Amino acid sequence: MNIRAGGIALSAAVGALAGAALAGTASGRRRGAAMGAAIMAGTEVVARARQRPGEIPDWWSRVVMSGALAAIGGGLVKAGPVPVGVAAGATAGALGLRPQKVLLGPVVGAAVGMLFPKGAKPAAVAATAVVGFRVLSALVFRDPQVSLLAERARAEELPFVVPLEARTNRVGTGFVRELADVLGGTYRADTEDEGIVASLDELAGPQFDPSDVDPLVREFYEHTSRFTLTIVPEWRLWVRPGYLLYRNLVARPLGQANVPMNQRETMRGVRSRIDTITLKDQEQVGVRGWIRSFADTDEPIYVGIYTTYRHEGRGYVSVGFPVPHGSFTATLLPLPRPGGGLVLTSRSDLAHPGHYLSSIDPRTRDLTTLAVHGFTEQLDVHTEDGRLHAEHAFSLYGLPFLTLRYTITSSRTEPNAGP
């Protein structure tokens, strides 16, 4: 069975279950299942016929599918219209990820529930709540959250993506060592006097002159392993419950993006090191992995692969965070900061800065890449009273949710300093 036929069969099955859930009597359920299967199969056929290469199916077809799935879920519960509507709307809002949608979902669901009389079929209430929410949110939030940027593209077509994935279900602090075995290069752990970039001069462009950067800031980027870090995380209250769930269910088992919840956790200390790979027949370092972990247990915080590239006279920093069978890449534009600091930001009208989630085909190495428009970050490294400091700020759909404040100490000038 090919992919298209499989999609039609799956849609028909979903439609049959939804139609049966919306019907009443046993005979009605049979008719409902047949009608639902026909409608959903037809929807899939039309949507796929209209779909162009590199695009996802039309919005309306995705709304129809979400309504059908909601009907199936609603058919499994026995409750009044308002509780069912609130639950369905809240689920749809949570899946939208955008904080405003999370709040809007249960409100729309409650309003829909109030429109139904007592005794209304939960499947009908749930489907109406989800479809109503999807339509209203499309009218209110017109900017795309995620878009399909490329499908089965070659890596050289997407220079802003770091195409290095984890080949197991865990990333962890040993990722660069495992990657060296795959690439056939020479691995060096905790490399002395190594930086996350070879030279800031690679980042020169119309908006950034590396010669204006403070020598201490330059030293940090070009010789990162000379420095130790202390970190103070500042989480916004609204994001803490969701992050706590994500951290325990995803980040810790994955060994990636495991940011401390509070300053008490950071008292365990942060170990920062650069692992490198030198590829065959090359003298210069080919892969730089900046690994940050808790000093007491070596539990990973971040495992990032740092690269630079040039496009149309500008230099960019691309940081790849490997995940199983894919990579999440942050491509950042360098900008000057008054006083000799350096800002790396994804906030730009240029085409390349941004965040990209890629799936990597293990056989062909082709990339299927999503652009994640709603996620932005900015790293500001600067000196203050002769010491290095940094603020790393993150926002989701325009709402700030995390700032990491770093104090960066040179172990070369202060050998007894520690994290």
Side-chain angles (χ1 to χ4, degrees):
M1 180 182 292
N2 60 37
I3 295 176
R4 185 177 295 272
I8 295 172
L10 176 61
S11 296
V14 170
L17 292 173
L22 290 167
T25 63
S27 60
R29 284 194 290 272
R30 287 193 292 271
R31 288 194 298 271
M35 290 181 60
I39 291 171
M40 290 303 299
T43 297
E44 177 71 9
V45 170
V46 173
R48 293 298 177 180
R50 291 171 52 86
Q51 184 181 5
R52 297 178 180 177
E55 292 183 352
I56 58 178
D58 285 343
W59 171 83
W60 63 268
S61 68
R62 305 198 306 273
V63 172
V64 171
M65 175 59 79
S66 63
L69 292 172
I72 296 171
L76 300 176
V77 301
K78 293 182 179 180
V82 173
V84 171
V86 170
T91 301
L95 292 174
L97 297 180
R98 189 194 299 254
Q100 299 94 324
K101 287 189 175 184
V102 174
L103 297 175
L104 180 64
V107 174
V108 172
V112 168
M114 292 177 185
L115 297 176
F116 279 83
K118 290 183 179 180
K121 291 184 177 62
V125 177
T128 304
V130 169
V131 171
F133 167 78
R134 293 291 304 271
V135 171
L136 181 59
S137 63
L139 294 173
V140 174
F141 307 109
R142 293 185 174 274
D143 54 315
Q145 301 176 58
V146 176
S147 63
L148 181 61
L149 183 67
E151 189 174 20
R152 293 186 292 275
R154 305 300 300 171
E156 53 268 24
E157 298 176 50
L158 305 175
F160 43 82
V161 170
V162 179
L164 297 173
E165 78 277 28
R167 288 168 168 78
T168 66
N169 291 329
R170 180 173 172 80
V171 181
T173 57
F175 172 78
V176 179
R177 181 184 66 250
E178 296 163 2
L179 181 63
D181 293 336
V182 174
L183 299 179
T186 301
Y187 167 70
R188 293 181 62 195
D190 200 2
T191 310
E192 293 184 4
D193 212 33
E194 193 62 72
I196 53 178
V197 301
S199 172
L200 282 188
D201 295 336
E202 298 172 358
L203 305 181
Q207 296 172 277
F208 176 65
D209 183 353
S211 65
D212 293 334
V213 173
D214 186 285
L216 193 56
V217 175
R218 176 183 282 268
E219 183 185 4
F220 169 71
Y221 276 97
E222 297 178 350
H223 304 280
T224 313
S225 57
R226 293 177 181 174
F227 295 82
T228 57
L229 309 175
T230 59
I231 178 174
V232 177
E234 297 179 357
W235 290 92
R236 298 297 177 98
L237 288 175
W238 65 267
V239 80
R240 287 186 180 184
Y243 175 70
L244 184 61
L245 185 65
Y246 156 82
R247 188 186 189 195
N248 288 312
L249 295 181
V250 179
R252 278 179 164 160
L254 182 61
Q256 177 67 289
N258 178 28
V259 182
M261 279 292 295
N262 50 51
Q263 191 171 2
R264 183 178 61 185
E265 273 196 283
T266 65
M267 297 299 290
R268 298 163 57 185
V270 176
R271 182 187 178 194
S272 169
R273 61 192 184 274
I274 306 290
D275 287 3
T276 63
I277 302 173
T278 303
L279 302 177
K280 289 183 178 180
D281 302 323
Q282 293 186 8
E283 295 183 359
Q284 295 183 336
V285 170
V287 176
R288 302 167 187 270
W290 190 14
I291 301 168
R292 282 152 287 178
S293 60
F294 289 104
D296 55 350
T297 63
D298 206 33
E299 179 185 6
I301 297 175
Y302 275 122
V303 179
I305 304 299
Y306 282 70
T307 67
T308 61
Y309 73 96
R310 297 190 62 78
H311 177 73
E312 296 183 350
R314 298 177 187 269
Y316 296 91
V317 175
S318 281
V319 187
F321 298 96
V323 297
H325 315 297
S327 174
F328 183 76
T329 301
T331 293
L332 308 173
L333 174 71
L335 296 173
R337 184 187 193 275
L342 170 58
V343 173
L344 295 177
T345 182
S346 66
R347 303 166 187 164
S348 173
D349 293 330
L350 296 171
H352 284 198
H355 293 84
Y356 307 95
L357 180 62
S358 299
S359 171
I360 303 172
D361 188 303
R363 183 178 60 85
T364 65
R365 309 301 300 163
D366 288 346
L367 306 177
T368 296
T369 298
L370 300 175
V372 186
H373 305 286
F375 190 88
T376 60
E377 67 177 290
Q378 181 164 299
L379 174 61
D380 183 350
V381 179
H382 57 94
T383 59
E384 185 176 319
D385 298 327
R387 299 192 67 180
L388 273 175
H389 297 270
E391 293 81 42
H392 200 169
F394 301 85
S395 296
L396 190 62
Y397 306 114
L399 295 179
F401 70 90
L402 170 65
T403 300
L404 300 175
R405 300 191 184 278
Y406 291 94
T407 299
I408 306 170
T409 305
S410 173
S411 56
R412 186 181 63 165
T413 57
E414 299 180 52
N416 294 323

